[in-house]
Amino acid sequence: MMNLSIRWLIRSLFVSAACLFNLTTVYAGETANNKSEDRTVKILTVGNSFADNACTYLQQITESVPGLSIEITRANLGGCSLERHASLIERCKEDDGSKPYSNTYCLEDLLKMDTYDFVTIQQVSSLSFMPESFEPYADVLIQFIRKHAPPSEIMIHQTWAYGADSPRLMEWNMLRDEMHNGLVNSYQVLAERYGLDILPSGQAFYRATRESENIDLWTQDRYHANMNGCYLAGCVWFGKMFGVSPQKIKFVPEGMKPETASFLRRIATQEIRATKKQD
């Protein structure tokens, strides 16, 4: 009887200890998970007004999801191509007084200023569908970023095709589908050449117009993004950079209908999922 009692007591203590250990582990895991959700992503955009469009609402989008924040540094110049960004690197080397970004910085200054999670690059939209326009300038830019910001992941911002009624497309005798297909190919070639990920803003724009004729994404010039386009691109960037579904975004720009915002978040989510499937 004594032996049985001792065995029962030992077994009970062992089970209790195991339960306590598991409970502690569960709560420790929950605490760790909660802490992991509180994070800030830092990005540097090397682009032009299309990067500005994509970042218009990006901070508000991000901060509407609990625990997440973003810091955006910009090296954007209106109408700036990969060729021009590459040439500015050389100009800064030759002339110490040349500070092309905000009249204060060279690209090297900005790259060394902080440790970025992502650095984005893109081609100017008017050349985006011409793969021959990307090199050797993309290589110069990518190698420079890798040299001066080695921890940062370089992401390609896939810009969007113009509205179907764009005067530019009419001038070029080009259909919107032709521009879209050309830029998708150009950016894909670049991504595969350097092993880089893509921010599929252009694909999201195309998907949105295919699913709804009532959602306009462009300003009056028919190539820059309007409120809807800026929001859509921002949702794409958020989803790709944080790995969090755009469906969790709560922010809606003032003046945008809730159903429009919901549609655009869904489009961004679908495009990100489609991109993952292709990978």
Side-chain angles (χ1 to χ4, degrees), residues 179-198:
M179 182 178 183
H180 172 74
N181 292 334
L183 70 85
V184 167
N185 176 67
S186 296
Y187 283 116
Q188 189 62 41
V189 168
L190 182 67
E192 291 177 358
R193 181 176 295 152
Y194 295 97
L196 304 178
D197 200 0
I198 291 177

Side-chain angles (χ1 to χ4, degrees), residues 134-146:
F134 282 61
E135 297 292 5
Y137 318 110
D139 185 71
V140 171
L141 197 56
I142 289 168
Q143 300 309 328
F144 191 78
I145 294 169
R146 285 176 171 171

Side-chain angles (χ1 to χ4, degrees), residues 42-43 69 72 126 134 138 147 172 204 208 222 237 259 261 277:
K42 296 182 179 182
I43 69 171
S69 60
I72 306 168
S126 59
F134 282 61
K147 177 181 178 180
W172 298 339
R222 310 312 290 158
W237 280 41
E259 56 267 30
K277 287 181 181 179

Side-chain angles (χ1 to χ4, degrees), residues 40-51:
T40 298
V41 163
K42 296 182 179 182
I43 69 171
L44 170 65
T45 62
V46 185
N48 49 48
S49 57
F50 276 41

Side-chain angles (χ1 to χ4, degrees), residues 19-235:
C19 290
L20 180 61
F21 174 79
N22 289 336
L23 187 61
T24 303
T25 303
V26 168
Y27 278 105
E30 289 180 354
T31 302
N33 289 336
N34 289 337
K35 287 183 178 179
S36 67
E37 291 177 357
D38 294 330
R39 58 194 175 104
T40 298
V41 163
K42 296 182 179 182
I43 69 171
L44 170 65
T45 62
V46 185
N48 49 48
S49 57
F50 276 41
D52 286 331
N53 284 172
C55 293
T56 299
Y57 300 117
L58 186 54
Q59 187 167 352
Q60 295 99 314
I61 284 171
T62 301
E63 291 176 352
S64 73
V65 181
L68 302 183
S69 60
I70 193 165
E71 295 180 10
I72 306 168
T73 303
R74 307 181 194 221
N76 301 334
L77 299 170
C80 196
S81 63
L82 289 169
E83 180 179 5
R84 186 180 174 200
H85 278 299
S87 69
L88 290 174
I89 291 173
E90 193 60 33
R91 184 190 299 178
C92 280
K93 290 180 181 177
E94 296 173 354
D95 180 6
D96 292 338
S98 178
K99 302 291 183 181
Y101 302 106
S102 302
N103 295 317
T104 307
Y105 306 105
C106 285
L107 183 57
E108 184 175 345
D109 301 326
L110 292 172
L111 289 169
K112 292 180 176 180
M113 183 181 297
D114 207 338
T115 300
Y116 304 100
D117 296 284
F118 302 103
V119 177
T120 69
I121 63 170
Q122 65 185 72
Q123 180 57 296
V124 65
S125 64
S126 59
L127 299 176
S128 60
F129 51 91
M130 303 178 188
E132 66 276 12
S133 72
F134 282 61
E135 297 292 5
Y137 318 110
D139 185 71
V140 171
L141 197 56
I142 289 168
Q143 300 309 328
F144 191 78
I145 294 169
R146 285 176 171 171
K147 177 181 178 180
H148 295 290
S152 303
E153 177 182 350
I154 301 172
M155 296 189 82
I156 297 171
H157 179 209
Q158 179 199 69
T159 53
W160 47 86
Y162 302 160
D165 57 345
S166 166
R168 285 188 175 185
L169 291 180
M170 296 177 188
E171 181 183 335
W172 298 339
N173 194 28
M174 178 182 288
L175 296 175
R176 181 172 184 275
D177 281 6
E178 291 180 89
M179 182 178 183
H180 172 74
N181 292 334
L183 70 85
V184 167
N185 176 67
S186 296
Y187 283 116
Q188 189 62 41
V189 168
L190 182 67
E192 291 177 358
R193 181 176 295 152
Y194 295 97
L196 304 178
D197 200 0
I198 291 177
L199 296 161
S201 302
Q203 291 277 40
F205 269 56
Y206 193 71
R207 181 185 289 269
T209 56
R210 291 291 294 270
E211 291 199 18
S212 175
E213 297 180 354
N214 299 320
I215 303 293
D216 188 17
L217 302 171
W218 298 271
T219 60
Q220 290 184 347
D221 65 22
R222 310 312 290 158
Y223 58 94
H224 285 106
N226 64 10
M227 176 173 62
N228 294 333
C230 289
Y231 185 73
L232 176 58
C235 289

